[in-house]
Amino acid sequence: LLWGTFVDGSIHEECNSLALDSAGNVVFGGYTTSSDMPVPGGYDTTYNGGTTDLYVGKLAANGASLLWGTYIGGSGQDALTADRGVALAVDAQGSVIVGTSTNSVSTPIPAPGGFGQTQNGGWDIWVGKLSSNGSQLAWGTFLGGTNDDQLFALALDASGNAVVGGATRGSGIPVPGGYDTSHNGGWDAYVAKISASGSQLLWGTFLGGAGDDYCRALLVDAAGDAIVGGTTRSDDIPVPGGFDTTRNGFEDLYLAVLSPSGSQLLSGTFLGGNQSDFCLGIALDGAGGVVAAGYTSSANMPVPGGYDTTHNGGHDFYLAKLSDSAIGVCRLSCSATVPAKAAPGASVPFQSGFATDPSGCTTPAFDWDFGDGSGHSAQQNASHAYPTQGTYPWKLTVTGTGAAA
């Protein structure tokens, strides 16, 4: 054991999210009911008087010192206590993006500079950005509708935009540009992307069926897709391209992939047995595989090649690894080669290449626009002659059914 430490006040605390900064310091978050938490250098050094406050801190890489700590809260409850109600990530500059759920209405949790300045009633999602030294709240924003909305997961894309996931129980939450803009019933999973400045909701979408559905974990891959992990009680939640398209028990583990714009559901799949199965964490293996972790009460969960293939009773830990193809993701990449110059009237070669992962998962269609108003070509490799001298903005579009370009 290299090190271990308490960080606490006199009543009750739970930590349920952490991340490392570039120096290996440990940024962590959770909830507290204590008014005497350590808050060196913090943005807010006073407990706000509700049921719980959000608490965020940073420990030195060697665990020997608390570099900073801060409360964030309002007059009510500012983190769920029955679930993993806090999520955070550290951006390239060391700032901390943190999300929680809040029902503080009379004195709301602060929301400076965000697109959502007003608490919407009931439980709202709240997301904010703390400076790297914990002394400033750069921005904060509410995200919700008139019914209850809850946050369970948060990840950053390559541009520092925050992708958040959770669940919503109503139709009032904003869903601009989303794949699914209609509430489906009960609790729906909800995924959204907030700009790095906190000033814009770039997109939002429901993801669900007639039963209760939750996003419990998410990450953003190198292509900008949002990989969603959660739990579903819906037979009709969409599962395009998935290896298992039928719900197996009372509640199944559910995995899905949303496009970077949030406008497409690239894939979805059930994973479950005949009882209750939950996904609480996901990771990528660097080769396109998705590792999911959670727990199960199903004795017949699929366990091919596993360390332990027998259910041991009650709730067991459950881990599984799925390939890109198992969750139905088909990736298409392309390239184009065109000479920079050619004589008027000469035949100009327009050549392209493409690759699919997994191999052969789609047959691409090509569209060359030569930029001179003369028409298009659907050939992979085409040729065209420009009768007069000029500059022509050609364009190649390659599409594949069910593929993520």
Side-chain angles (χ1 to χ4, degrees):
L1 180 64
L2 298 179
W3 58 263
T5 188
F6 297 103
V7 180
D8 62 345
S10 58
I11 306 180
H12 187 80
E13 288 78 44
E14 288 189 14
C15 172
N16 46 35
S17 186
L18 65 83
L20 302 182
D21 69 12
S22 59
N25 300 312
V26 182
V27 181
F28 61 97
Y31 75 85
T32 179
T33 61
S34 301
S35 61
D36 55 350
M37 287 289 288
V39 284
Y43 150 74
D44 183 354
T45 59
T46 304
Y47 187 74
N48 292 281
T51 308
T52 61
D53 265 15
L54 171 64
Y55 179 83
V56 184
K58 181 188 281 190
L59 283 164
N62 64 2
S65 59
L66 181 66
L67 302 179
W68 56 261
T70 187
Y71 294 105
I72 302 175
S75 58
Q77 186 172 341
D78 299 305
L80 295 171
T81 57
D83 283 294
R84 300 188 315 152
V86 177
L88 60 79
V90 178
D91 70 12
Q93 289 73 47
S95 301
V96 180
I97 316 302
V98 60
T100 190
S101 307
T102 176
N103 69 1
S104 293
V105 177
S106 60
T107 303
I109 197 168
F115 69 87
Q117 294 285 298
T118 305
Q119 215 276 1
N120 296 282
W123 284 96
D124 263 16
I125 292 169
W126 181 89
V127 181
K129 179 178 180 178
L130 285 164
S131 59
S132 60
N133 64 4
S135 65
Q136 291 180 290
L137 182 64
W139 58 260
T141 189
F142 294 102
L143 176 56
T146 54
N147 291 296
D148 288 339
D149 313 290
Q150 297 180 348
L151 177 141
F152 301 113
L154 182 152
L156 302 181
D157 68 11
S159 300
N161 302 312
V163 181
V164 298
T168 180
R169 200 160 54 179
S171 58
I173 197 165
V175 285
Y179 152 75
D180 184 355
T181 58
S182 298
H183 183 252
N184 298 280
W187 285 95
D188 268 12
Y190 177 76
V191 185
K193 181 183 283 191
I194 298 169
S195 66
S197 66
S199 61
Q200 288 181 280
L201 179 63
L202 301 178
W203 56 261
T205 187
F206 296 105
L207 185 56
D212 289 337
D213 315 290
Y214 304 88
C215 169
R216 298 285 188 177
L218 63 80
L219 54 81
V220 179
D221 68 12
D225 302 325
I227 317 295
V228 176
T231 302
T232 180
R233 297 178 184 175
S234 299
D235 291 320
D236 56 341
I237 195 169
V239 286
F243 83 95
D244 185 352
T245 57
T246 304
R247 185 163 67 104
N248 300 277
F250 176 62
E251 46 201 343
D252 270 15
L253 187 152
Y254 177 73
L255 294 169
V257 183
L258 287 161
S259 65
S261 67
S263 62
Q264 291 179 281
L265 181 65
L266 303 177
S267 70
T269 190
F270 294 104
L271 176 58
N274 57 7
Q275 298 295 322
S276 293
D277 317 297
F278 297 84
C279 175
L280 297 177
I282 52 176
L284 295 178
D285 69 355
V290 178
V291 180
Y295 62 94
T296 179
S297 60
S298 299
N300 64 335
M301 282 292 283
V303 286
Y307 150 74
D308 183 352
T309 60
T310 303
H311 185 254
N312 298 280
H315 282 136
D316 275 15
F317 288 168
Y318 179 76
L319 296 95
K321 183 174 181 179
L322 298 89
S323 67
D324 253 4
S325 58
I327 57 173
V329 176
C330 175
R331 303 194 185 281
L332 171 64
S333 59
C334 63
S335 61
T337 304
V338 179
K341 296 181 180 180
S347 179
V348 179
F350 287 77
Q351 297 181 313
S352 69
F354 73 92
T356 60
D357 182 21
S359 178
C361 64
T362 189
T363 300
F366 300 87
D367 178 63
W368 287 101
D369 179 351
F370 301 114
D372 61 354
S374 63
H376 293 227
S377 172
Q379 296 179 328
Q380 178 180 349
N381 298 308
S383 61
H384 184 69
Y386 296 95
T388 57
Q389 184 174 341
T391 300
Y392 299 96
W394 60 268
K395 179 182 179 181
L396 170 64
T397 303
V398 183
T399 56
T401 302

